[in-house]
Amino acid sequence: MQLNRLIIPAVACLLLSTARSQNLKKAVQISGTMGVSYEGYGLTRNPAGWTGFNPRKPWNQLRFSFTPTMKFGKNWSIPFNINFATKATNFAGPYSGIGKQNIGQFVTNPMNSFGINPSYKWAELQLGTQYLNYSELSTGDIGVFGAGFDLKPGAYRIKFFTGVSQRAVNFFTGSPATTGAYTRHNWMFQIGKEKEGKYLVALNFVKAKDKVSSLAVPPPLVTPQEGFTTSLVTKIYFKAGWYFTAEGAQSFYTKDLNAPLSTTVNSFKPFIEGHTSTIRDFAGEGSIGKRSSLFDIGVKLKFLGAGFQTPGYPFLQPDRLDYTVNTRINTWKQKMNIVASVGQRVNNVSNTTLRAKQLIGNINWFTQFNDNWSLNLSYNNFGFQAPGGINPYGIKNVSNDLGINPSYSWSNSSMSHLLSLNYNYSKYDERDVMTGLLTSNNTHMGLLTYVPTYFNKDLTPDFSVLYFYNNFPGFKTALLTLSSGISFSAAQKKLRLRGQLQYTLGKNNSFSSSNNFIASANIDWKLNERLTWSNFMGSNYYKYGNEITPAGASYLESNLRTGLQYRFGK
């Protein structure tokens, strides 16, 4: 891969120029960590030959991490973020012929991360895996392996990055089945001007294109695609806490690169050439409000056209209008804090199907009544509705969640106590688009926790009881979990030990009960001021009731993890 051949020489040049510019007069400062760990996994199933439960991890795995930051004097800095495993265990894994990876597959494997960001004053070079957020309508939630830069000379902002966000995955019928994917190349660029705390004006360009030739056999359910988005972002901050933000974006998206070219529709040369499958649409958002130490108030509006699609947010839901009022209140001598928003979502604003309106609301209310009592309340309403369209019945996926968390603490001369209750209720409504049947999934969860803390002993126990109940048409699940743990130090506090025991009694419908027993132990040994040896041992025994065949089947999982971590610096 061409990008791989560029990274090592670029870093070498930076290190060389760093040494020369500083004339080796100032010592190199290094902070951060590096480590290596081994993970072993075992599975025993009863009866022998039963395949009702599959392994959840590789039998053996070796992981490496290297995350130091090197500083040369006042101006040079080189942060490293390197984390990788020796085996490919991403979502496709060996099912797509990635059992033995080449160097390109290895460094772009989603479970691995190779990032190096050398910087000098206002200039930063970005190499390897990066997660870059330019704006809310351009790019922000996908990782890209490649190379780029971030320049901030004075008030000017210039950013560029290019690389691969998705590698080729062959179609595989299973098990498990994979639909396949083309290699996807990404480009992103931003130019603008910013004064922190005052204003920002920036123009963004984002592009992604699938490589049609990356798969010898095209997958039957996936088409190669191409997308381009440009957006303008403006943020202004006034005195007394007032602010204004806005972004407008235009997208061009080709659903199938194999479709014929079109000279009349939706081209934006030289960035993207229109096909008969290319669509163009607009999106915009804006907010205005005021912030202060005790009170915030703001209004936010977001519109996404039916055909709007940006490569930087591949799962963004289009064809909607959201408007919300957001607030934060800190009152009662700062013992009460309320964060809330309320608004409405309008789906199908393009009128391709019937419109639907939905309440958007959430609140988190915390109150510290006195030194002993506190209470936290939370509520969230969110989801998606569409009352009709191509299918006989529209989509409905709406979730309502309520949380209540009171806590009480007290102490005496020798120890303190914390008693906490956490209750959550969740109601999820879903409508079948073909039958119109509305099902409601209701969940209740209560967790009671007690944590005593000794002032004169290096001993920390904890105890908890959890009850979980889930009910939807035709199925009921109830779980009761008892858990207890204890941690303490030994060998002049160089050794830290923790043990945990957990037992769960479960029941599905009228079937016989299942039993689950989990035991684990952590041993962390501080070999010296910088080197720590960490160990974990755990077992998970699960015995089913008579809801499966054969009745009473069971499995035993065992986990072993051991590793060394070295801390740089002081």
Side-chain angles (χ1 to χ4, degrees):
M1 182 181 291
Q2 186 175 3
L3 289 172
N4 300 335
R5 295 196 294 267
L6 292 175
I7 289 177
I8 296 177
V11 174
C13 291
L14 280 167
L15 291 173
L16 181 59
S17 61
T18 297
R20 290 176 177 174
S21 65
Q22 300 299 329
N23 295 320
L24 301 180
K25 291 181 180 180
K26 297 184 178 180
V28 178
Q29 298 180 0
I30 305 178
S31 61
T33 63
M34 69 175 181
V36 58
S37 64
Y38 166 79
E39 299 177 11
Y41 175 79
L43 175 65
T44 302
R45 292 173 288 201
N46 185 35
W50 173 59
T51 58
F53 184 83
N54 295 317
R56 292 192 280 192
K57 297 180 179 180
W59 302 116
N60 299 281
Q61 182 67 281
L62 192 62
R63 300 181 186 272
F64 296 88
S65 67
F66 185 67
T67 58
T69 297
M70 304 172 63
K71 292 186 177 180
F72 302 84
K74 296 181 179 180
N75 298 322
W76 279 98
S77 176
I78 306 180
F80 292 80
N81 181 20
I82 299 176
N83 295 274
F84 63 92
T86 56
K87 291 187 177 180
T89 57
N90 61 307
F91 75 97
Y95 306 109
S96 295
I98 314 175
K100 185 177 181 181
Q101 305 174 91
N102 58 38
I103 185 63
Q105 293 172 327
F106 179 73
V107 298
T108 58
N109 190 314
M111 76 169 300
N112 297 332
S113 176
F114 295 85
I116 307 173
N117 293 58
S119 64
Y120 177 73
K121 291 186 177 180
W122 46 262
E124 179 184 74
L125 183 62
Q126 299 167 333
L127 304 171
T129 304
Q130 307 285 333
Y131 290 83
L132 303 174
N133 189 317
Y134 283 9
S135 71
E136 292 192 34
L137 296 178
S138 61
T139 188
D141 68 355
I142 60 170
V144 181
F145 181 87
F149 54 79
D150 185 349
L151 307 179
K152 299 178 180 179
Y156 294 96
R157 301 291 181 261
I158 306 173
K159 302 178 182 180
F160 174 77
F161 197 84
T162 182
V164 177
S165 64
Q166 175 179 281
R167 61 177 175 171
V169 177
N170 293 324
F171 169 74
F172 186 73
T173 56
S175 167
T178 58
T179 57
Y182 293 90
T183 297
R184 175 163 295 186
H185 294 271
N186 290 67
W187 298 264
M188 58 193 78
F189 174 71
Q190 181 186 91
I191 185 168
K193 196 172 182 180
E194 178 183 22
K195 188 174 183 179
E196 293 188 10
K198 298 293 184 179
Y199 64 85
L200 167 67
V201 179
L203 188 62
N204 302 308
F205 300 91
V206 183
K207 180 177 179 177
K209 186 175 183 179
D210 291 343
K211 186 177 181 181
V212 179
S213 61
S214 58
L215 292 176
V217 180
L221 302 177
V222 177
T223 58
Q225 300 180 351
E226 179 182 15
F228 175 79
T229 301
T230 179
S231 78
L232 177 64
V233 181
T234 302
K235 298 181 180 180
I236 305 175
Y237 304 94
F238 303 95
K239 293 182 179 180
W242 287 96
Y243 65 89
F244 169 80
T245 69
E247 181 178 9
Q250 178 84 67
S251 75
F252 298 80
Y253 207 88
T254 300
K255 298 291 187 178
D256 186 358
L257 283 170
N258 293 320
L261 290 171
S262 174
T263 58
T264 58
V265 297
N266 301 332
S267 287
F268 194 60
K269 298 179 181 179
F271 302 105
I272 185 170
E273 189 171 9
H275 292 246
T276 55
S277 63
T278 302
I279 56 177
R280 179 180 64 182
D281 216 324
F282 170 81
E285 66 173 24
S287 63
I288 186 171
K290 177 179 171 59
R291 297 190 180 104
S292 66
S293 59
L294 299 178
F295 179 75
D296 295 351
I297 185 69
V299 179
K300 186 172 183 178
L301 178 72
K302 176 182 283 189
F303 167 78
L304 300 171
F308 182 83
Q309 190 167 350
T310 178
Y313 294 94
F315 303 108
L316 194 66
Q317 178 192 330
D319 201 12
R320 76 175 199 259
L321 173 66
D322 295 354
Y323 45 94
T324 57
V325 178
N326 310 290
T327 187
R328 179 188 64 87
I329 304 173
N330 196 338
T331 186
W332 198 26
K333 298 180 181 180
Q334 300 190 16
K335 293 182 178 181
M336 181 181 296
N337 188 69
I338 304 171
V339 179
S341 73
V342 62
Q344 191 172 63
R345 166 167 292 178
V346 181
N347 297 306
N348 308 309
V349 293
S350 63
N351 283 321
T352 54
T353 62
L354 295 178
R355 291 190 179 184
K357 294 182 178 180
Q358 174 196 340
L359 172 70
I360 301 175
N362 66 78
I363 184 172
N364 190 84
W365 188 331
F366 174 80
T367 305
Q368 184 73 47
F369 294 100
N370 52 42
D371 292 340
N372 304 110
W373 280 103
S374 67
L375 175 65
N376 193 83
L377 302 173
S378 63
Y379 170 77
N380 181 68
N381 171 279
F382 202 74
F384 173 79
Q385 289 191 79
I390 298 175
N391 297 313
Y393 301 95
I395 299 171
K396 181 176 182 179
N397 299 300
V398 178
S399 175
N400 286 270
D401 299 284
L402 172 68
I404 304 174
N405 176 214
S407 296
Y408 182 74
S409 61
W410 71 100
S411 62
N412 52 38
S413 59
S414 60
M415 62 186 301
S416 65
H417 309 263
L418 174 63
L419 188 64
S420 176
L421 174 65
N422 195 329
Y423 168 76
N424 288 92
Y425 169 70
S426 177
K427 185 175 185 292
Y428 177 73
D429 294 325
E430 181 177 17
R431 180 166 52 215
D432 189 297
V433 297
M434 302 306 296
T435 65
L437 180 64
L438 182 66
T439 59
S440 184
N441 191 328
N442 298 280
T443 301
H444 299 265
M445 190 276 291
L447 174 64
L448 180 65
T449 303
Y450 170 62
V451 181
T453 302
Y454 296 91
F455 297 148
N456 302 317
K457 298 179 183 179
D458 188 5
L459 186 68
T460 306
D462 62 78
F463 309 91
S464 66
V465 179
L466 180 145
Y467 177 75
F468 174 89
Y469 177 78
N470 177 255
N471 177 22
F472 64 92
F475 198 81
K476 297 179 181 180
T477 299
L479 300 172
L480 178 64
T481 300
L482 307 176
S483 178
S484 178
I486 187 170
S487 63
F488 58 92
S489 298
Q492 299 179 340
K493 296 187 176 181
K494 292 183 178 180
L495 202 63
R496 188 71 186 176
L497 300 98
R498 175 170 175 78
Q500 186 83 24
L501 294 175
Q502 177 178 301
Y503 170 73
T504 300
L505 178 68
K507 188 172 180 62
N508 296 322
N509 287 349
S510 59
F511 297 106
S512 59
S513 299
S514 61
N515 294 270
N516 182 212
F517 183 79
I518 298 175
S520 65
N522 293 77
I523 304 174
D524 297 330
W525 187 4
K526 193 173 183 179
L527 301 177
N528 56 44
E529 290 298 320
R530 297 186 179 182
L531 186 62
T532 301
W533 181 20
S534 298
N535 299 275
F536 170 83
M537 294 164 286
S539 64
N540 177 20
Y541 173 76
Y542 193 98
K543 185 175 181 180
Y544 292 89
N546 59 358
E547 71 268 28
I548 67 169
T549 303
S554 64
Y555 65 83
L556 174 64
E557 289 182 297
S558 57
N559 295 274
L560 170 66
R561 183 171 64 248
T562 182
L564 294 170
Q565 186 177 74
Y566 180 82
R567 179 175 57 85
F568 297 99
K570 296 180 181 180

